[in-house]
Amino acid sequence: MKTTVSLGAVAALVLMAGVSPLASAEAAAQGVDVAVASTDGIRSYNADEVPTFNIAEDGTVDWPTFSGYRRYQSECHVCHGPDGMGSTYAPPLKDSVMRLDYYDFLATIANGKQEVGAAMNLVMPAFGTNPNVMCYVDDIWTYLRARGSGALDRGRPAKRADKTPEYAEVEKTCME
Ligand code: HEC
């Protein structure tokens, strides 16, 4: 049986226990990624209705997380390095997603980002009009959360669930 814990509840428990910041970050991350039942047949959500991965005990990843892996490979890897690990040019997104709010993550991808006054001139491009990214942004988020929380190892996930008809429908509408 799965236990559903809200992030707030985890944070409160951590505060009461007085554990180290690292341990509390880990506990909070786990709370955020607890999948409640997928209600729309498309993907799983946590208690805050933020998309999350769903990895079975035998390692089978849900379709959206697998899709996120593929989209990351084709759209983000070139700058952010293999498996969300970062490069000399751009930060490790597997760590960024453990720190960034889901909505800030979406906004950064849609609008881009440029560190003003930084020693290096680093530019995160805006993808807001690119359907190959924006239609899959939730998938990329869940893939990176799976990586950052340690639920998913490096490389191509060996086993994946099939794409659901509901997912295919939403994808078709988005890409039109
Ligand atoms: C052309 C290179 C390039 C590509 C392609 C690219 N990024 Fe970035 N991205 C960057 C750079 C450089 C930064 C750091 C910018 C800064 O700090 O000002 C960044 C920053 C980010 C951040 C903020 C990270 C943080 O820790 O604050 C997010 C989120 C992000 N990128 C997501 C993505 C995603 C998702 C993709 C693929 C859809 C992607 N990026 C593709 C170069 C790129």
Side-chain angles (χ1 to χ4, degrees):
M1 204 184 94
K2 273 207 177 99
T3 324
T4 304
V5 199
S6 79
L7 178 56
V10 173
L13 285 172
V14 165
L15 275 179
M16 287 190 309
V19 292
S20 74
L22 180 62
S24 68
E26 271 165 17
Q30 281 162 14
V32 167
D33 289 317
V34 173
V36 297
S38 174
T39 47
D40 57 7
I42 300 167
R43 66 181 70 250
S44 298
Y45 300 87
N46 68 13
D48 296 328
E49 297 190 29
V50 168
T52 189
F53 56 84
N54 199 344
I55 302 179
E57 267 171 36
D58 71 354
T60 303
V61 304
D62 59 297
W63 171 263
T65 301
F66 181 74
S67 160
Y69 161 78
R70 293 205 309 194
R71 296 289 158 178
Y72 177 87
Q73 290 286 108
S74 57
E75 308 290 343
C76 323
H77 174 133
V78 60
C79 293
H80 288 280
D83 308 309
M85 311 261 296
S87 72
T88 52
Y89 182 71
L93 293 184
K94 75 173 183 56
D95 300 333
S96 298
V97 294
M98 303 314 286
R99 172 176 49 78
L100 290 176
D101 180 52
Y102 163 70
Y103 301 97
D104 293 340
F105 176 82
L106 298 193
T108 302
I109 295 165
N111 305 324
K113 185 182 171 201
Q114 183 168 12
E115 210 71 76
V116 179
M120 287 189 291
N121 198 18
L122 303 178
V123 181
M124 162 64 190
F127 288 104
T129 58
N130 182 342
N132 289 311
V133 172
M134 295 316 289
C135 292
Y136 300 98
V137 83
D138 284 347
D139 298 0
I140 297 172
W141 165 261
T142 58
Y143 162 67
L144 289 168
R145 290 285 305 190
R147 287 284 301 122
S149 64
L152 186 64
D153 285 338
R154 295 192 58 176
R156 182 187 176 91
K159 285 182 277 188
R160 59 156 180 85
D162 289 336
K163 188 191 288 193
T164 62
E166 292 89 342
Y167 182 104
E169 188 58 38
V170 168
E171 180 180 32
K172 190 166 155 271
T173 312
C174 187
M175 292 297 281
E176 266 164 8

